[in-house]
Amino acid sequence: MNREKRTEIFRRLRAQRPNPTTELAYSSPFELLIAVILSAQATDVGVNKATAKLYPVANTPQAILDLGVDGLKQYIKTIGLFNSKAENVIKTCRILVEQHGGEIPRDRAALEALPGVGRKTANVVLNTAFGEPTMAVDTHIFRVSNRTRIAPGKNVLEVEKRLLRVVPEEFLVDAHHWLILHGRYTCVARKPKCGSCIIEDLCELPMSQRPEY
């Protein structure tokens, strides 16, 4: 795929969603961090239902630390893997209080040192909370990048690095949101909705592999 085609793809995605953002509900970098930790193998809708009850009670590292593991579990028990997530969130809050003055570090290494935070979560926080041009490659972005040939790769790190290299600079900050939303609602896993896709004519998926519509 050449630069001109990629540029047109992102122009169309931008026109469709001029101000894309995460579908997780949050009002601070800390709330975003916790929501992303909780969202692993869970839906954004499910996480938002839990945090809608949690955040009015505790939405700072110290406040959640004060809840303790068992107290936190009462708010997030509807989310998958809530036991291990509660442990990680409490450990993360303790590190934030003791090492970062209760603030979210704007540094990849410091973020990835937090329990329950991997590269993808760090990328989400750096991009969405701080406006850094990162690529948080999830299953949607991995699928869209490979299926359309925007940035094919064998694993998420390959796709991330290629996207950072080939996405035109003007689109970098919002690109991962556009790709996630496109994968979530149009270029879906089992049967992509090619007939209603705004970049169908630019996609390099062979016609033989596209569903009939």
Side-chain angles (χ1 to χ4, degrees):
M1 181 175 286
N2 61 36
R3 181 178 178 82
E4 288 72 24
K5 190 178 282 189
R6 288 193 187 93
T7 298
E8 180 59 23
I9 284 173
F10 284 103
R11 278 180 183 148
R12 294 186 191 180
L13 294 175
R14 179 173 63 186
Q16 183 185 43
R17 295 185 174 94
N19 300 295
T21 189
T22 178
E23 293 185 322
L24 291 169
Y26 74 98
S27 61
S28 70
F30 174 72
E31 288 187 1
L32 175 65
L33 173 65
I34 299 306
V36 179
I37 292 174
L38 296 177
S39 71
Q41 299 182 49
T43 66
D44 289 357
V45 172
V47 172
N48 288 343
K49 285 181 179 178
T51 56
K53 296 177 181 178
L54 170 65
Y55 289 159
V57 175
N59 69 341
T60 66
Q62 187 61 58
I64 288 183
L65 204 52
D66 290 343
L67 286 176
V69 172
D70 291 336
L72 177 58
K73 285 181 183 179
Q74 297 307 307
Y75 291 96
I76 66 170
K77 60 186 178 183
T78 55
I79 300 173
L81 307 176
F82 74 93
N83 283 310
S84 60
K85 288 176 181 178
E87 297 277 356
N88 282 334
V89 167
I90 291 296
K91 290 175 183 175
T92 284
C93 288
R94 183 170 290 111
I95 292 171
L96 290 174
V97 169
E98 294 178 355
Q99 299 181 22
H100 301 286
E103 298 296 321
I104 304 301
R106 189 171 177 169
D107 174 80
R108 176 186 300 281
L111 284 168
E112 291 188 22
L114 299 171
V117 177
R119 186 177 183 88
K120 186 181 77 172
T121 297
N123 279 336
V124 171
V125 174
L126 288 170
N127 176 272
T128 306
F130 300 122
E132 301 283 347
T134 61
M135 290 288 171
V137 178
D138 66 352
T139 55
H140 297 303
I141 293 183
F142 185 78
R143 179 175 66 253
V144 171
S145 296
N146 276 287
R147 186 183 274 165
T148 63
R149 309 302 290 176
I150 289 173
K154 295 178 181 177
N155 55 57
V156 293
L157 187 57
E158 271 190 27
V159 171
E160 176 189 332
K161 289 181 176 179
R162 184 164 291 181
L163 282 169
L164 289 172
R165 194 167 64 248
V166 302
V167 173
E169 188 175 355
E170 67 176 296
F171 304 111
L172 267 177
V173 171
D174 290 324
H176 103 266
H177 290 303
W178 286 319
L179 293 173
I180 286 173
L181 294 170
H182 191 67
R184 185 172 288 169
Y185 297 112
T186 302
C187 198
V188 294
R190 292 189 178 180
K191 190 176 181 181
K193 302 173 183 178
C194 297
S196 59
C197 176
I198 62 169
I199 61 170
E200 181 187 9
D201 58 312
L202 301 169
C203 176
E204 295 189 356
L205 180 70
M207 295 303 294
S208 61
Q209 295 179 33
R210 301 188 190 193
E212 295 182 4
Y213 54 87

